[in-house]
Amino acid sequence: MSRDSADGRRRPHLVVAVAVGVVLLLVAALLVRHHVAQPFRVPSASMAPLLEPGDVLLADRSTRGTAQRGDVVVFDGRGYFAPSEGDGERYWVKRVIAVGGDRVECCDADGMITLDGAALAEPYLPAGTAPSEIEFDLLVPEGRIFVLGDNRTDSTDSRHLLGAPGGGMIPVDRVVGEAERIVWPLTRGGAL
């Protein structure tokens, strides 16, 4: 029930004002999620120790459709990392090792992955982890990325899918965004 004010106009109901406020907040949240940042839960240990199972990270949506060597990205793996759209996870998080035009090979005489003939320094690998137990030598097609998990012994990544559609290399337009920061749990929170 509304009351008339002293000048004869009706005041809006509190319920209507709250409903409008809630709708505006929902629209703002959707706009932020689509254009600014999107949360994702890490399902596996494939990126440990950087990301642990259960971590919630934010992907920077302003970087969608782009990737640079060394970036940790979230991407839509349907049809590439999962055999069909109904299989497995839809979103994956991995480190970009090579981009279109790069030649990536495993491994040189020292057991290192090489990128365009030079040994790739990988300080993010867990201590004692080999860069790869799977041999490969390939040229990444333009518009694609070659991705690996940091925890190479527990990661399904481009190495494992070399014979699959797309050769395990993801179209760069499938990148949802660069993993920016861990937001949960708070004890692990911070920028990546």
Side-chain angles (χ1 to χ4, degrees):
M1 176 183 265
S2 66
R3 296 185 174 170
D4 291 339
S5 64
D7 62 1
R9 287 186 265 162
R10 295 176 59 117
R11 292 185 189 157
H13 290 281
L14 178 59
V15 173
V16 172
V18 168
V20 168
V22 168
V23 168
L24 290 175
L25 285 174
L26 288 173
V27 168
L30 287 172
L31 289 172
V32 165
R33 182 176 175 168
H34 184 72
H35 296 289
V36 180
Q38 185 172 351
F40 292 93
R41 182 173 298 279
V42 177
S44 72
S46 72
M47 286 298 294
L50 179 67
L51 299 171
E52 297 290 341
D55 285 352
V56 176
L57 62 88
L58 286 181
D60 178 358
R61 297 281 292 170
S62 70
T63 62
R64 69 179 169 264
T66 65
Q68 297 179 26
R69 287 180 218 99
D71 287 352
V72 175
V73 297
V74 176
F75 60 91
D76 181 346
R78 290 176 300 163
Y80 292 89
F81 273 41
S84 71
E85 290 192 21
D87 294 333
E89 295 292 324
R90 174 177 178 182
Y91 295 107
W92 297 67
V93 59
K94 302 290 179 194
R95 186 176 300 276
V96 177
I97 299 299
V99 297
D102 289 342
R103 181 176 198 98
V104 62
E105 182 179 0
C106 180
C107 286
D108 67 8
D110 296 324
M112 306 275 294
I113 290 176
T114 62
L115 183 62
D116 296 329
L120 181 64
E122 296 188 280
Y124 41 79
L125 292 179
T129 300
S132 181
E133 298 293 326
I134 299 170
E135 292 184 12
F136 52 86
D137 181 2
L138 53 98
L139 181 64
V140 180
E142 289 300 327
R144 301 279 178 131
I145 55 176
F146 183 85
V147 296
L148 298 176
D150 289 357
N151 186 5
R152 304 283 162 82
T153 58
D154 190 18
S155 177
T156 299
D157 47 41
S158 290
R159 300 169 299 162
H160 296 93
L161 301 164
L162 295 174
M169 290 169 269
I170 305 302
V172 74
D173 64 5
R174 291 288 191 101
V175 172
V176 173
E178 183 178 356
E180 185 175 84
R181 65 185 312 107
I182 298 171
V183 294
W184 187 261
L186 295 177
T187 55
R188 288 187 39 78
L192 297 178

